[in-house]
Amino acid sequence: MKKMFKLSLIMLLAFSVVLAGCGKKKEETNASGGESSGTAKSGVKIGLVTDVGGVNDKSFNQSAWEALEALKKDKGIDAQYLQSKSKEEYVTNLNKYVKGKYDLTWGIGFDLGEDMKTVADQNPDAHLAIIDATVDAPNVRSVTFAEHEGSFLVGVVAGMMTKSSKVGFVGGSEIPVIKRFEAGFKAGVKAANPNAEIKINYTGAFDKPDQGKAAAATMYNDGVDIIFHASGATGTGVFNEAIARNKAGGSKVWVIGVDKDQSLEFGDDVTLTSMVKGVTTAVDKVTREVIDGNFKGGSETLGLKDNAVGLPETSSKNVPADVLKKVDEFKKKIIDGEIKVPEE
């Protein structure tokens, strides 16, 4: 009996060791599986506040958020965003991240400038950054772009490729950054095609696709065959109108996209080219400075010399080689200072 008891005890102990080993193995698997990317969390918290265009505007808000999403994967940061439904929400949204002790709070868009100044002055220890506006505060990093330089180049494309000798520009609000787009575009069109007619329409909004569609319809009806838009989510309507017309047949019409390579969203059949702006690069650069502990306030303007504005590589799908060659010639002249592109 004693022998049987000892044998049973030995078997029980052995079984317990096996179970413990299995449990340990399972626990280790779960622990390693929690960080599938192999990137440890950095502990850095970044907040992003959009303007009324929203984070899915297919434009600069989306470009900014994509930069933070990439840093989530690469550096393990905690990145969050708030979409502003109206200008009255800007201060509240900015303060949510500032009061939450986030390491950096981004504001995306010119319209947030005044409110960011207010929040920055009230919270001198907070770190903030803004795209498309200059805020005079020591704790704010301001990044603007020479949109007029890149817009000049797409203006050259439009001027050389229009068949009707009529092109159009659809803007959002008449603010300095959008006026730079307009001024550069007009100068580029005229440099390439002095006889071209340029029609201008400001919808007054960056979040109204229906207004963009109506503006585009009016221009196309007037004989315009290429429209350059700088209107955020309103530009979705410009693309939708062009897509509908091309499907219906008749004269071919084009759209020149803005901020991102919009052919990736709307397709090569309707997107002639885009005036790409390095918002993603700028947000990545400044945010990495925060991660590395090197954040500094101040302002910088990025242009052609920084490869921060210009045409995407996909332009060669629809823009002939001779036109792209001419674009490169103008680009060099702008960088070398031979051509000074107007800003208004």
Side-chain angles (χ1 to χ4, degrees), residues 27-161:
E27 183 181 346
E28 288 172 350
T29 301
N30 285 342
S32 64
E35 289 289 348
S36 58
S37 65
T39 303
K41 286 187 177 298
S42 69
V44 173
K45 297 197 300 182
I46 310 294
L48 181 145
V49 177
T50 76
D51 72 359
V52 295
V55 78
N56 294 312
D57 64 351
K58 314 292 191 298
S59 189
F60 59 99
N61 284 294
Q62 185 170 329
S63 296
W65 178 240
E66 286 173 353
L68 295 186
E69 284 190 305
L71 286 171
K72 269 183 168 181
K73 296 177 181 178
D74 183 34
K75 294 293 185 180
I77 65 170
D78 177 6
Q80 307 289 334
Y81 71 84
L82 286 170
Q83 298 195 91
S84 303
K85 296 179 181 177
S86 68
K87 294 181 180 181
E88 288 70 32
E89 293 184 354
Y90 292 158
V91 169
T92 300
N93 288 343
L94 290 168
N95 268 324
K96 178 174 180 179
Y97 294 128
V98 169
K99 301 303 182 185
K101 304 299 181 183
Y102 276 59
D103 297 280
L104 179 67
T105 300
W106 277 101
I108 309 301
F110 176 86
D111 282 349
L112 278 82
E114 290 184 9
D115 292 318
M116 180 164 281
K117 170 68 172 169
T118 299
V119 173
D121 289 345
Q122 293 172 350
N123 301 274
D125 295 330
H127 291 161
L128 302 103
I130 190 166
I131 293 291
D132 281 351
T134 300
V135 176
D136 185 15
N139 56 334
V140 178
R141 181 69 162 274
S142 303
V143 183
T144 55
F145 297 85
E147 293 92 354
H148 52 300
E149 294 181 350
S151 297
F152 183 100
L153 300 185
V154 297
V156 170
V157 172
M160 293 184 71
M161 293 192 66

